[in-house]
Amino acid sequence: QILRRLWLKLGANAVINPLTALWEAANGAVLERDEGLRTLRGACDEVGAVAAALMERSPEAFGDRTFAPTSEELQRFVREVAAETSENRSS
């Protein structure tokens, strides 16, 4: 499950860090702005697609197919992280 956690973390970092740094805003802003929600969906679609493609390309390297989270799972995780850390700011 370490690889799965890394993919989830990548999703959160790909969404929250760049947006909050550009906006000079706290993490919760990602969930409050339309641009944040659109970016969240798009980035999670991309990260999920890359994880799935990697699994398809090299299944012998990973064995367990559950290591690749879906876009929906990534979106849920990113929303949870942004909500739980809503007052935090990127440095």
Side-chain angles (χ1 to χ4, degrees):
Q1 292 293 42
I2 291 173
L3 284 176
R4 181 177 179 74
R5 292 295 298 174
L6 289 173
W7 282 109
L8 292 169
K9 184 170 174 53
L10 174 63
N13 287 340
V15 174
I16 296 169
N17 294 349
L19 290 179
T20 58
L22 284 171
W23 295 339
E24 296 180 353
N27 293 355
V30 171
L31 303 176
E32 297 167 355
R33 297 186 186 190
D34 288 340
E35 181 182 5
L37 295 172
R38 281 193 309 273
T39 301
L40 186 152
R41 285 188 296 272
C44 289
D45 286 349
E46 289 293 324
V47 171
V50 170
L54 182 60
M55 183 63 227
E56 291 294 321
R57 187 174 179 108
S58 303
E60 69 286 346
F62 303 104
D64 184 4
R65 295 185 67 85
T66 63
F67 96 91
T70 65
S71 174
E72 291 77 18
E73 292 169 321
L74 286 156
Q75 288 179 51
R76 192 168 34 255
F77 181 77
V78 174
R79 287 175 188 272
E80 288 171 5
V81 170
E84 289 172 6
T85 63
S86 63
E87 298 300 316
N88 292 7
R89 294 182 165 272
S90 296
S91 54

